[in-house]
Amino acid sequence: AKGAAVVEADRVKASAQAEIEQESNRAREALRGEVAALSVAGAEKVLGAAIDQEAHKELVEKLAAEL
């Protein structure tokens, strides 16, 4: 019984660590998107011109990939 409990505890621990890793990855991706959007917004202010929606999307995706 003690061995089974140890095995179950290890399984639960591994599952929790995998879930933490997944949540961490999701948070990183969300942060990358936000940073990219803020960068584009800042660039728009510096340039003094708005960027059309498609160009904005492409810039955000490109910046997110570089982060």
Side-chain angles (χ1 to χ4, degrees):
K2 186 176 181 181
V6 170
V7 169
E8 178 65 12
D10 287 344
R11 186 192 67 74
V12 169
K13 182 179 174 184
S15 176
Q17 286 177 333
E19 188 174 334
I20 289 168
E21 183 67 27
Q22 288 175 348
E23 189 61 32
S24 177
N25 288 338
R26 280 192 287 271
R28 262 190 223 101
E29 287 302 316
L31 186 57
R32 280 188 184 114
E34 288 183 36
V35 167
L38 288 171
S39 296
V40 170
E44 286 177 347
K45 287 188 181 213
V46 169
L47 295 172
I51 300 173
D52 69 59
Q53 200 63 270
E54 185 58 33
H56 178 82
K57 181 180 177 217
E58 288 175 14
L59 283 171
V60 167
E61 288 173 357
K62 184 176 180 182
L63 285 169
E66 292 175 2
L67 296 176

